[in-house]
Amino acid sequence: MTMSNTPMAASPLTRAVLEIDEYASGLGWDQPARLFALVDTAALRAQEPALASQLGLDGEQESTGYTPIEQDEIPAGKALDEFLGTIAWPDAVVGCALTVERLMLPPSAEASVPEGLSEKKLTAWVAAHPDRQEVRMTVGVLRDGSRESALRLREKDSATEVLTGSQLVPGLAEALSATFAE
């Protein structure tokens, strides 16, 4: 998956996360979570030239960066944190990324959250809240601890409106990093 709108000045991890965000954007909203292995593009070209060719990487001049490779679908009905706890990556995978859609409330709505709601009732309450925002989060991490995130609001669904930063979704970044723990 090669995308043309990612900024070349960004770090290789930022570029990979933005490529995945752009790919997910092309699929539309209301999609399941998607998991990606991140492999070193230069190593992929050298060690797996046929696969690199199949992915359209054989003609690229860029020698640094990461190639996202989408993994099998996340099992329906399994909690994301439970699923991530079952993952072990081979050595060739230098990082991973996940894109997932969620509902968010602004901090001003936190004070009005009813106490004692079950997770199911809380989800329903958030879904019915007039200030809710639908957001697509794409989080990538590397084995060395580097992390990057991209957030896209459904109401501002434009590549120029994507917010990036390393600390935007710390809980998800930690969960992804744990997939590399020995």
Side-chain angles (χ1 to χ4, degrees):
M1 128 178 87
T2 303
M3 301 296 166
S4 57
N5 295 334
T6 53
M8 292 314 294
S11 75
L13 181 56
T14 302
R15 287 195 308 270
V17 166
L18 288 172
E19 283 179 18
I20 294 167
D21 171 75
E22 188 173 338
Y23 167 74
S25 177
L27 298 172
W29 286 86
D30 304 316
Q31 296 290 315
R34 295 177 187 279
L35 181 67
F36 298 82
L38 298 178
V39 296
D40 181 275
T41 302
L44 178 64
R45 277 195 208 108
Q47 296 167 5
E48 300 284 345
L51 178 58
S53 178
Q54 184 180 352
L55 293 173
L57 301 173
D58 48 356
E60 288 188 17
Q61 298 304 311
E62 184 185 350
S63 60
T64 62
Y66 305 108
T67 299
I69 300 174
E70 188 168 0
Q71 303 301 291
D72 291 336
E73 219 173 271
I74 296 172
K78 186 158 192 156
L80 193 55
D81 57 343
E82 288 177 24
F83 171 73
L84 291 175
T86 67
I87 295 174
W89 297 104
D91 291 341
V93 175
V94 297
C96 66
L98 182 84
T99 184
V100 63
E101 296 175 15
R102 291 291 186 254
L103 292 176
M104 286 185 4
L105 290 177
S108 60
E110 286 181 24
S112 64
V113 175
E115 289 189 33
L117 292 181
S118 68
E119 189 172 331
K120 188 176 181 178
K121 287 185 178 180
L122 178 61
T123 299
W125 184 84
V126 170
H129 197 283
D131 294 333
R132 75 185 178 285
Q133 295 273 335
E134 290 181 73
V135 63
R136 182 181 302 116
M137 302 176 284
T138 304
V139 179
V141 300
L142 299 178
R143 283 186 189 270
D144 70 7
S146 301
R147 51 180 66 179
E148 187 61 68
S149 305
L151 295 180
R152 181 186 292 246
L153 294 175
R154 189 171 191 156
E155 74 175 25
K156 295 183 178 184
D157 193 0
S158 162
T160 61
E161 296 286 338
V162 176
L163 179 65
T164 60
S166 62
Q167 298 297 321
L168 295 178
V169 192
L172 186 51
E174 286 297 323
L176 289 171
S177 292
T179 66
F180 292 103
E182 296 293 324

